[in-house]
Amino acid sequence: MQDNEPTLSSIEDYDTLKGSKKKVVWTVIISGLLLGAIFVAAKMYYGSTEDTIVVNESIGKVPVK
């Protein structure tokens, strides 16, 4: 009977990633950084709070139906 689970000695890239796996990891990292930069740029461009409404009254009780 043979186990189908990999062992440390049978894993090719245990110490370092090589080949297509390394490309996938770097693609995910670069994509995450690019998306983060896009969100930060959008927040800076569209995130102005000049049109906020100032409310001085406090809400005492919210009616429940």
Side-chain angles (χ1 to χ4, degrees), residues 16-64:
T16 59
L17 288 175
K18 295 177 184 173
S20 64
K21 289 182 183 181
K22 189 173 188 176
K23 289 179 185 177
V24 169
V25 169
W26 278 111
T27 302
V28 169
I29 291 171
I30 299 296
S31 299
L33 290 173
L34 286 175
L35 282 174
I38 290 170
F39 280 120
V40 166
K43 175 77 171 170
M44 292 175 73
Y45 185 75
Y46 295 110
S48 67
T49 57
E50 296 172 3
D51 60 345
T52 58
I53 300 173
V54 178
V55 178
N56 295 326
E57 302 171 8
S58 63
I59 299 173
K61 190 185 263 189
V62 178
V64 180

